[in-house]
Amino acid sequence: MTAESSRPRVPQGAGSARPGYNYAFLDEATKREIRRKLLKAVAIPGHQVPFSSREMPLPPGWGTGGIQVTASLVGPADVLKVIDQGADDTTNAVSIRRFFAETAGVETTTSTRRASLIQTRHRIPETPLAEGQILVFQVPLPEPLRFLEPRESETRRLHALAEYGSAYVSLYEQVARHGRIAQSYDYPVMVGGRYLMRPSPIPSFDNPKLDRNPALLLFGAGRERRLYAVPPYTPVESLSFEDRPFAVERSPQACDLCGATDSFLDEIVADDAGSRLFACSDSEYCNERQRRLGRSVVAP
Amino acid sequence: MSRALQEPAAEVRPLLSVSGLTKDHGGGHGCHDVAFELWPGEILGVVGESGAGKSTLLDCLGGFAAPDAGRADYQSRLFGPVEIFGLSEARRRRLARSEWGFVHQDARRGLRLSVSAGGNIGERLMAGGARHYGDLRARAGAWLERLELDPSRLDEAPRQFSGGMRQRLQIARNLVTEPRLLLMDEPTGGLDLSVQARLLDLLRGLVRDLGLSVVLVTHDLGVVRLLCDRMLVMERGRVVEEGLTDQVLEDPQHAHSQRLVASILPV
């Protein structure tokens, strides 16, 4: 290897990246390490790969895992979308989008269709994803067996031996207590029939979207230092009992702003009298529908 | 001599055959060169003072500790004849949650205290692939009744149970997969005498009905007299005497066994 080829190649962006920082904030060696770990994660769908998570300029719990994955992947040709609970205009989404616009000079968008790279917290967009797109999840707790097994050494062994009986114990407890599987978010899934995975705290409403999704799904847990992945078209099955099948909970309402009946709704207290408004949690999807209906767009 | 009394049929082999089992904790602690055979349907008592190596022996057999030397041949329903210390971890764990049971002295070690009684009993079934909630519940309820626990407490967590009830729940949790081999470490320890008596009575019936083979570690010779067919006496990690229970208790040969027997409190 020559000195020339071992020198990090810094992408030259179309937009201007902020001087004084390396492209996309992280140094090239760190981004390379994350990409290598992501390749491993893609090779073993659903398996948690440890990585050397770095300090980021925001606290753990605010998406440091997702940001590091995005930073390692983003390039000048990318179009970046960032959502928080489905919305493009919440503090965290705005800040992370601006962070990459500044440090990587990348083009940003709110359009799910236009984006090549989407970082998300707690939702999968309503607009179906396509081949070639990458969805990056921010993950607070990556270990699906943590509820019943506090020891990391033991959970690793359970994954290695595919001993997932205890995962059903927590489902059993829910049915025994509530008469149904009451878990409405972070609902555990089996990836490719092999690894048990936490899909991050997305609503179980979004679980069916994980199954055989044409996009690449990447998961980053910054504080817990784990990466995992669901490659395109991987079968993802939500855990259930034979006589208590997995069912998506749908609200009986339609969106008050766009009338959608097929989207995940947020319940919003509208005034001091306690009246309530139901609106799509996916702001772009909602705005798009309002526009097509010829209404003046109201942000959910 | 004990062998002549039992005279097994030609094709019957010991369920578990242990030889040369050694686990050295240093300073003479642990167990040394332990050998015994356990026959189908038999209850073998292992007695000795605290520190004699009884629990180390049981921990090795149960997979909680790796022995330094020795072998243990086991007749598995799933895999045929196997040497358990040489098994892959995957196979050993599979046996441990289906064909074997381990009853800890402290029921808290063997139970999930925050999970309901039904969930505790159902766990091994779920680990074995049972995925029908109604079925799991029915079987858990049946096992509660079998262990003389109130089936209406199926959804209560074991922290609300008394010590004796917890111990029975722990046994139910182990027996639900109908194991062949049950390893018990002081199952009546810490229980008051009337609760002990009931538990022993229950155990005797279950062992007979299910055709279980049991290795039972205890320091209580009363428990051995009530339950065990044969017994081993251990002292400082070694087996110093082995024989039929009545024989050893009535006519102990080794000085240590004689001391143990002499120390039984007359009631």
Side-chain angles (χ1 to χ4, degrees), chain A residues 147-149 154 157-158 161 163-166 168-169 171-173 175-177 240-244, chain B residues 89-90 93 97 112 114-116 118-119 123 126-127 130-137 140 154-155:
Chain A
F147 168 68
L148 291 161
E149 182 48 69
E154 184 65 13
R157 188 168 289 133
L158 294 174
L161 300 170
E163 278 184 23
Y164 292 135
S166 60
Y168 286 89
V169 173
L171 294 191
Y172 175 95
E173 286 300 286
V175 182
R177 253 175 234 171
S240 64
F241 289 113
E242 287 159 12
D243 51 343
R244 296 284 192 287
Chain B
E89 190 174 8
R93 288 172 74 114
R97 61 170 194 261
R112 293 188 187 278
S114 56
V115 167
S116 69
E123 181 171 359
M126 291 184 251
R131 297 287 180 264
H132 193 285
Y133 176 79
D135 218 37
L136 285 164
R137 210 168 157 74
L154 194 58
D155 293 333

Side-chain angles (χ1 to χ4, degrees), chain A residues 206-289:
Chain A
D206 282 343
N207 268 29
K209 298 177 193 164
L210 295 164
D211 185 34
R212 297 178 172 84
N213 196 307
L216 171 62
L217 313 179
L218 301 175
F219 299 78
R223 182 175 35 207
E224 303 288 325
R225 300 171 180 238
R226 293 290 184 278
L227 301 171
Y228 48 102
V230 176
Y233 300 110
T234 305
V236 176
E237 192 191 343
S238 304
L239 295 194
S240 64
F241 289 113
E242 287 159 12
D243 51 343
R244 296 284 192 287
F246 172 79
V248 164
E249 226 180 311
R250 285 184 187 279
S251 51
Q253 294 85 0
C255 173
D256 287 328
L257 303 177
C258 75
T261 53
D262 56 353
S263 69
F264 187 74
L265 301 179
D266 286 337
E267 186 177 0
I268 302 161
V269 178
D271 56 29
D272 289 348
S275 60
R276 276 158 167 68
L277 178 79
F278 289 89
C280 296
S281 107
D282 185 336
S283 59
E284 188 249 350
Y285 181 76
C286 194
N287 292 348
E288 192 55 39
R289 278 182 56 92

Side-chain angles (χ1 to χ4, degrees), chain B residues 33-51:
Chain B
D33 204 17
V34 174
F36 65 84
E37 281 174 348
L38 181 70
W39 294 79
E42 185 183 40
I43 308 185
L44 178 71
V46 180
V47 300
E49 295 169 337
S50 299

Side-chain angles (χ1 to χ4, degrees), chain A residues 125-198:
Chain A
E126 305 291 357
T127 308
L129 300 172
E131 277 183 27
Q133 287 185 308
I134 298 177
L135 186 60
V136 178
F137 294 77
Q138 302 170 193
V139 181
L141 296 165
E143 181 49 68
L145 298 167
R146 188 61 75 229
F147 168 68
L148 291 161
E149 182 48 69
R151 288 167 298 175
E152 178 69 16
S153 57
E154 184 65 13
T155 54
R156 283 201 207 187
R157 188 168 289 133
L158 294 174
H159 282 295
L161 300 170
E163 278 184 23
Y164 292 135
S166 60
Y168 286 89
V169 173
S170 66
L171 294 191
Y172 175 95
E173 286 300 286
Q174 291 181 25
V175 182
R177 253 175 234 171
H178 308 291
R180 65 190 171 86
I181 300 175
Q183 188 144 6
S184 57
Y185 67 96
D186 215 349
Y187 192 107
V189 292
M190 280 297 284
V191 178
R194 174 60 182 84
Y195 281 96
L196 185 70
M197 187 186 92
R198 272 180 104 139

